[in-house]
Amino acid sequence: MENKIINYIIENKEKYYRIAYSYVKNKEDALDIVQDAIVKALRYQHTLKDVNYLNTWFCKIIINTCKTYLQKKNRYIDTWDEALESYGEPTYDHYKPFELEEALDHLSYNEKTIVLLRYYNSLELKEIAHIMDQNLSTVKSTLYRALKKLKPLLENDYRGEAHEQV
């Protein structure tokens, strides 16, 4: 079992690094999180009942490790107002579009996690519900709410960029 876990993690290391990086926005911290998650996976490999759920199981470990890290560092911004205060005065750069990763930072931790698992990792909603320990209907409604929040952020950026180029 240990070899299957190690081989799987090695084959998918970039995917898990991207998940960690999307939370902490720092290369070294993301690498530390992945390393900690690997240690946890090896330590608790006996809790994995079915190898078919290895991806779901390890995603849950990565996400929980990110959450623990952010709680310890007190670096997670969960509200729009706090995010705006941290940016300062706007600068107008015709070549700097509002990126999806920046838009994701305006979602709650739960919303961001569901969006990342669904669209960055192509997980089924049922798998996400299992990872998040939530009902499938809760995951669906949270995903819908998150997409509804992202839409105006991304549309405004698109309109603004198109307007500046005219």
Side-chain angles (χ1 to χ4, degrees):
M1 174 86 89
E2 184 174 328
N3 286 338
K4 285 185 180 185
I5 292 172
I6 292 170
N7 290 337
Y8 177 81
I9 292 169
I10 290 171
E11 290 172 11
N12 294 283
K13 64 183 179 237
E14 285 145 18
K15 175 171 77 171
Y16 296 117
Y17 169 78
R18 283 193 310 269
I19 291 172
Y21 186 85
S22 69
Y23 284 100
V24 296
K25 306 285 190 275
N26 179 288
K27 180 181 177 181
E28 290 78 20
D29 292 343
L31 290 171
D32 287 345
I33 287 169
V34 172
Q35 182 179 350
D36 289 348
I38 291 169
V39 169
K40 288 176 187 176
L42 294 174
R43 182 178 302 144
Y44 297 106
Q45 64 184 319
H46 65 279
T47 65
L48 178 62
K49 307 263 188 277
D50 186 351
V51 177
N52 293 325
Y53 295 105
L54 183 57
N55 180 50
T56 305
W57 179 74
F58 195 70
C59 270
K60 190 172 188 175
I61 293 172
I62 285 282
I63 290 167
N64 287 336
T65 305
C66 288
K67 186 175 184 178
T68 302
Y69 174 85
L70 290 170
Q71 287 170 343
K72 284 181 182 176
K73 293 289 184 177
N74 253 351
R75 289 177 27 186
Y76 186 69
I77 298 172
D78 196 26
T79 64
W80 177 258
D81 292 336
E82 290 175 359
L84 287 177
E85 290 173 7
S86 69
Y87 285 132
E89 289 298 312
T91 57
Y92 300 98
D93 182 355
H94 297 281
Y95 303 103
K96 186 178 179 187
F98 190 82
E99 296 179 13
L100 178 59
E101 296 234 351
E102 291 175 21
L104 288 173
D105 286 340
H106 297 294
L107 300 177
S108 72
Y109 182 88
N110 196 39
E111 292 167 338
K112 180 178 180 177
T113 299
I114 291 171
V115 169
L116 289 172
L117 291 175
R118 179 71 177 123
Y119 296 107
Y120 279 39
N121 296 299
S122 303
L123 293 180
E124 297 291 324
L125 293 175
K126 195 182 249 186
E127 290 177 289
I128 296 169
H130 180 72
I131 290 170
M132 304 285 297
D133 291 325
Q134 296 179 359
N135 292 329
L136 180 59
S137 59
T138 303
V139 170
K140 287 179 181 177
S141 63
T142 303
L143 178 62
Y144 175 76
R145 183 176 59 246
L147 294 175
K148 196 172 177 181
K149 285 181 182 179
L150 287 173
K151 186 178 178 182
L153 292 171
L154 298 174
E155 282 179 347
N156 286 341
D157 180 49
Y158 176 74
R159 287 184 197 138
E161 186 178 10
H163 180 67
E164 287 176 6
Q165 291 176 353
V166 173

